[in-house]
Amino acid sequence: MQRSYQYRLYPNATQASALETILCQSRLLYNEALAHRRDVYKHAEQSVSYVDQWNRFREDRKARLEDFGLLNATAVQQLLRRLDKTFQAFFRRIRNGDKPGFPRFKPATRFRSMEYRHGDGCKLQGTVFYLQHVGEVRIRLHRPVPKGCLKHVTLTRKTGGRWLICFSGDDGVEPPPLRTGKAVGVDKGLRSLLTFSDGTHIDNPRWLRTSLARLRRAQRALARKTKGGSNRDKQAQRVARLHERIANQRKDFWHKITTRLTQTYALIAVEDLPLGFITQNRRLALSAHDAGLGMFQAMLDYKAERAGCAVVAVDPKRTSQVCSGCGKRAKKSLRQRWHSCSCGVELDRDVNAAVNILHKARCGPLAVNVDAVRSRVGQEAVCL
């Protein structure tokens, strides 16, 4: 399976300065390659391929050592491939009728990573990582790296000068066959991020809202600083670190939840909920982005494949309105958080929706006919 492993680098002052210089040269080459593509099309109306640019900048790298002398051939190739992928995405958006978004020149604040091939100018050696023109940098290996993942290397500069390294490749582990066992339905929301069909609620930590007071103070202090001054740059880094901390909290939370889900259940039924309708709502947008439900779905998908459990996305239509016991439809407004039916079923609205989601995943769409639904509920084990 294709996997990525990320670690923290601990360069000393000299090594950090060398890394910054290499990153600056990479950005300069990226911008020159972008200008080259733009100018050729502007004057000759011809597109430029990756091979054409490699033939040109391979010679420029040798002739302009003061500009590109710290970049080895592999680093240049990866950089030009990166630009080529950007243009491929640009033309794909044009074909699909989306907003094109022409590739932009990168300022120093928007160019933070560089790529290598392991064994060509860089190599992991025990507890240190060797990089050409930088030396042996200390690395914290909090978990071992499979040999198959020592292929593609990405170095990223984070806020405050911290450096991360990512190893990517095929770890040689085949996806296990789907296992059998317990099943669960999952309803997504903002009050409770997740509600399970067994009645479990995962509360919303509201990472951003709990840090808004600190963010306001930090951003007010930033607004008072003189533009172009060193104090403003330091304060901008403090604001960025706060945002990074919030993002790390959100990522850590979803990693733990998705790992627990995939290790506990063999079938996970989730609603195929488009998030656009809440992220574009002016009253819900902040809470929706803070929740990170899209991150949850992405993590669940790849972890389920590795754990051998099935993830089934079902249509969320009427899952909150239909009774999970008898199938009778009872309209409820968003203010009504309790489901009460004439058949005697009384439970939380979100739990009722989670049970309906599980029914849909096991036996297909819920029918409107009451007897059919009762029969289907009684045959859940057979359907699974």
Side-chain angles (χ1 to χ4, degrees), residues 84-101:
D84 189 60
K85 291 177 183 177
T86 304
F87 271 93
Q88 290 176 11
F90 166 69
F91 291 121
R92 183 177 64 250
R93 289 191 295 268
I94 291 180
R95 289 193 300 268
N96 296 338
D98 301 331
K99 185 177 180 180

Side-chain angles (χ1 to χ4, degrees), residues 184-185 192 194-203 260 265 351 354:
V184 67
S192 293
L194 302 176
T195 302
F196 300 158
S197 54
D198 60 5
T200 305
H201 292 269
I202 304 297
D203 294 332
R260 190 178 77 187
Y265 300 101
V351 176

Side-chain angles (χ1 to χ4, degrees), residues 137-236:
V137 185
R138 189 163 61 92
I139 182 174
R140 183 179 179 183
L141 293 174
H142 58 275
R143 56 177 175 171
V145 189
K147 290 184 178 179
C149 290
L150 293 176
K151 292 183 178 180
H152 190 81
V153 180
T154 304
L155 288 95
T156 306
R157 183 192 61 191
K158 303 297 285 187
T159 306
R162 298 183 302 120
W163 285 88
L164 298 179
I165 185 170
C166 182
F167 299 102
S168 305
D170 191 345
D171 61 0
V173 178
E174 294 295 330
L178 293 178
R179 68 178 194 265
T180 59
K182 295 191 295 183
V184 67
V186 181
D187 178 72
K188 304 173 187 175
L190 295 180
R191 178 175 297 182
S192 293
L193 285 182
L194 302 176
T195 302
F196 300 158
S197 54
D198 60 5
T200 305
H201 292 269
I202 304 297
D203 294 332
N204 188 348
R206 304 184 187 278
W207 304 276
L208 178 60
R209 287 191 181 276
T210 55
S211 301
L212 279 180
R214 296 178 62 189
L215 277 172
R216 289 191 189 102
R217 291 194 295 270
Q219 289 170 341
R220 280 199 298 265
L222 176 63
R224 297 189 186 105
K225 299 292 188 293
T226 305
K227 291 185 178 181
S230 59
N231 286 337
R232 183 180 176 86
D233 293 338
K234 293 177 183 178
Q235 187 62 31

